[in-house]
Every structure is written in C-alpha cells, then in structure tokens.
Amino acid sequence: MKIGITCYPTYGGSGIVATELGLELAQRGHEIHFITYAAPIRLDTTLENIHYHEVDVVTYPLFQYPPYDLALASRMAEVSELYELDLLHVHYAIPHSVSALLAQQMVASRRKLPFVTTLHGTDVTLVGADPTYFPITKFSIEKSDGVTTVSDFLRKETIDVFGVSRPIQLIHNFVNCDVYRPLDNRPTNPRPRLLHISNFRPVKRVQDCIRVLAEVRKHVDAELWMAGDGPERSPAERLAHELGIAPSVRFLGKQDHIERLIPQTDILLMPSEREAFGLAALEAMACGVPPVAAESGGVTELITNGVDGYLAPVGDVEKLSACVVQLLEDRSLAQRVSLAARHTAQTRFATSAVIPQYEEFYQDIVNQN
C-alpha cells in the first residue's frame, strides 16, 4: 500500500510510535510518505520505501499565528495525488485529523482518500478535553474513516470524554525486539543505574525520580540517569542539590538512540501521573530492564506487577523506592523479572505481533471506501 503518515516530529511518544510504524511498514514492502513540518527524529530517509515531504508554513504580517493546519492539509492533498496514496494515517488528533479531513475533501472529486486517526493520550485527556478544542477534536474523531488507540484505557477515556459511539480499534504500541535487546556480555555497572526517559512535563512527575533515588541510596549506592528535557528539568536539578545527591544524578538531555542507552541501565523509573500506554517502559522491557512505574492509565495493560515489573500508587515514593531496592539487592529476583520483561515484549508487543494488526485495519478501511 501507499500510506501517508503525519505526526509531531519531536521526542514525544506519538511521534516516535508513528515513525517506528512507518519504518516497520516500509520494511514489509509498503511505500511510506511522511508529511510534516520537519523530519521525525528517528526517521532515516535513505531507507527504501521511505519518503519525506516537508510542510512549508509561510508567515505573513497578517498572521499572528501561522496557519500550519491549512498548509498541512494542502500538502497532504498534493502528496496524495502526486504519489497516488491509498490512505493517510495521522497521529495525535489536533490538528492532524482536521487537516486530513480537509485534504480528503480537496481531492474528493478526483480520488478517494480515507484517513485513520490514532489517539495517543494528551490529545484526548488534555488538549482535546480543553473547551477551546473539544468541539473540533470530537468532530475530527467522528469524521475519521478509522480511529485507533494505543491502550484500552485510552479507548474508554475517549468514549467517556467525547461521548462518541463510533467503533474505536485498540492496537497497542509495539517494540522492535531485534533493535531493543539486552547487551551481549554486558559488564556489571560499578554502581546500579536507574533510568528515567520522558519529555519532562509535569505529568511525568520527574521530581519523584529524584526523591526515589534519595531513598534508594539509603540502602544501595545507586545513580540515576535522566534522559530527555523539558520544563521540569530545572526543578529536578534543584531538588537533587537540595537533597545532596546531585553527584549521583546525570542529566543526559535528549537522546536520539535510546536503544543504546537503555541496556546500560538496571531499572527504568516511570512515576507518571498518567500514561496512555508507557512506551518507554515497553522499550526497557525489550532490553531486559525491569520497569518500576506508577499504576496509572494504560501501564497496567503492559506491566504485570511482580512478574515483569513493579507498580506502585501514583506519588508513593516510599513504595517505588522499596521496589527498586528489592530488585537491586536480590540479584536472582532481578534476573527473573528481567527475563519475564523481555518475554512479555517478545510475545505480546513485538512488531511481528502488532504491525499486521495495522495492515489489516488499513485494508479494511480502504475496502470500505
């Protein structure tokens, strides 16, 4: 098939999933066209079947805010006709699904252009639920030819928030277990390493990671690697200094090759207040790194507490810390959980299990249109 993909080309989960999906589809022989304002961070445009089309947003003094959604719709329509796309797949509802709807109408007299919208989390629970964007988000969901969510939690949340009655397909996030894998003959770290990966927004509860390390260090000489950047980085840095553990915390900034970073660590920390799925936890599990996470949202569909990771109530630093200490002090337990985490990733969330679900869904949408 010939598929157009639009996403936010940033470090957020929706852009990463969209990019990885396109790469996997291209390897399976589909022709993939990314349409967005910048090349996604994980996209290799030299690969066969991968094409990138930049959306040029012209600024004029008349425009206080450049109309990206209109420029995107025009580019979608243009690419769909030039390359005879079978469908568009947009990730994150605002404004991508609205732009896809406009593009569909622009070419309607000449060709069919169905579009699929994948909801990833904050486009439903935060942005889309805001009164400013609620009507247009609901409208775009209802007008999409197909809608998917990355967790059953988010599917139910979408129905509850927007009151939509249309079918919503659950297709979980996925991981390439050949790329995300444990290191061969990995040396033992001088100090156990905890890892946190996020965009450092308040919902990620980044400072809880600092507090967890402070508690863990009362029992184990551990260190914490913080990968990513965002508004909560400075408060976290200050807290590390206030608690006297700054020398044991490394702020790594944004990382382009997470698959190389994760296997060097021992435990992933994910204390988020809300996660639609928990992609970082899945990537860690594929690398055999046990996740210790807050029990929120779609994370419970990924992690089985005490088997392939650990869950604790949101904000319960004491319990999160106890789980970490238990894993670090009991090597046999850590090994069992590590193997179980890898097994979960391989059997339930590997690309070989999930990508065919997208292919089947695409075919159904095209056949219906």
Side-chain angles (χ1 to χ4, degrees):
M1 301 181 71
K2 297 181 179 180
I3 304 164
I5 293 180
T6 293
C7 62
Y8 284 111
T10 60
Y11 287 83
S14 64
I16 290 171
V17 170
T19 305
E20 297 289 354
L21 174 60
L23 294 173
E24 293 292 338
L25 290 168
Q27 289 183 10
R28 296 169 72 93
H30 302 284
E31 184 178 308
I32 306 301
H33 295 259
F34 283 87
I35 310 168
T36 186
Y37 62 82
I41 57 170
R42 294 191 183 182
L43 183 65
D44 183 352
T45 55
T46 65
L47 296 177
E48 188 176 0
N49 294 328
I50 291 291
H51 307 268
Y52 168 63
H53 310 274
E54 185 170 329
V55 179
D56 185 24
V57 184
V58 179
T59 59
Y60 292 106
L62 177 65
F63 299 146
Q64 183 175 359
Y65 305 104
Y68 172 65
D69 48 354
L70 301 183
L72 175 59
S74 295
R75 192 69 167 128
M76 284 175 163
E78 180 182 38
V79 172
S80 71
E81 293 200 290
L82 289 175
Y83 296 90
E84 300 181 335
L85 300 188
D86 294 302
L87 83 162
L88 298 172
H89 186 176
V90 300
H91 295 255
Y92 208 90
I94 297 297
H96 301 152
S97 57
V98 178
S99 297
L101 177 60
L102 286 173
Q104 181 185 68
Q105 294 175 345
M106 290 169 68
V107 302
S109 64
R110 298 179 295 279
R111 62 182 294 107
K112 291 182 178 180
L113 184 63
F115 71 96
V116 172
T117 298
T118 291
L119 305 173
H120 285 268
T122 52
D123 49 348
V124 172
T125 61
L126 184 62
V127 179
D130 186 280
T132 303
Y133 295 108
F134 181 91
I136 194 65
T137 303
K138 177 179 171 69
F139 179 75
S140 66
I141 292 172
E142 292 175 338
K143 291 297 182 180
S144 300
D145 295 290
V147 178
T148 74
T149 59
V150 298
S151 66
D152 193 51
F153 158 77
L154 188 59
R155 186 187 67 82
K156 294 174 180 176
E157 190 88 347
T158 302
I159 294 170
D160 291 343
V161 170
F162 295 102
V164 295
S165 57
R166 60 157 305 139
I168 298 177
Q169 182 75 26
L170 166 62
I171 303 180
H172 280 124
N173 282 340
F174 56 89
V175 64
N176 187 324
C177 292
D178 293 328
V179 174
Y180 289 83
R181 54 179 296 159
L183 288 177
D184 295 328
N185 302 317
R186 176 192 155 184
T188 302
N189 294 328
R191 292 196 295 174
R193 293 171 182 164
L194 313 183
L195 173 65
H196 174 74
I197 306 169
S198 78
N199 52 19
F200 286 56
R201 289 183 292 129
V203 71
K204 302 298 183 179
R205 299 185 67 92
V206 174
Q207 293 180 61
D208 280 2
C209 295
I210 306 298
R211 296 187 178 96
V212 166
L213 179 66
E215 291 298 315
V216 168
R217 285 185 55 77
K218 295 176 182 178
H219 306 273
V220 181
D221 181 23
E223 63 181 353
L224 171 63
W225 288 6
M226 303 285 281
D229 213 330
E232 290 297 298
R233 174 170 173 169
S234 291
E237 289 175 318
R238 288 195 297 270
L239 181 61
H241 282 276
E242 291 169 5
L243 296 178
I245 60 171
S248 297
V249 183
R250 291 183 60 189
F251 288 88
L252 306 176
K254 296 175 180 178
Q255 297 289 310
D256 289 338
H257 294 284
I258 292 295
E259 76 281 0
R260 301 175 189 171
L261 178 67
I262 295 174
Q264 301 178 49
T265 64
D266 298 283
I267 293 173
L268 179 93
L269 286 180
M270 181 180 283
S272 308
E273 184 175 315
R274 182 185 289 261
E275 286 283 350
F277 177 80
L279 180 61
L282 174 58
E283 292 175 338
M285 292 167 73
C287 295
V289 176
V292 175
E295 192 172 5
S296 65
V299 175
T300 58
E301 299 170 42
L302 170 62
I303 300 171
T304 301
N305 187 37
V307 177
D308 48 22
Y310 284 89
L311 298 171
V314 174
D316 193 339
V317 170
E318 183 176 344
K319 186 167 183 180
L320 288 167
S321 305
C323 293
V324 171
V325 171
Q326 186 178 8
L327 284 168
L328 294 182
E329 290 187 333
D330 189 336
R331 289 186 176 273
S332 62
L333 172 66
Q335 181 66 11
R336 289 198 304 272
V337 177
S338 171
L339 291 173
R342 172 74 175 169
H343 179 73
T344 295
Q346 289 178 308
T347 56
R348 295 180 54 205
F349 301 102
T351 53
S352 58
V354 178
I355 302 302
Q357 296 178 44
Y358 275 112
E359 292 176 307
E360 183 178 352
F361 190 66
Y362 292 155
Q363 196 60 61
D364 288 344
I365 296 299
V366 169
N367 291 341
Q368 291 170 14
N369 288 271

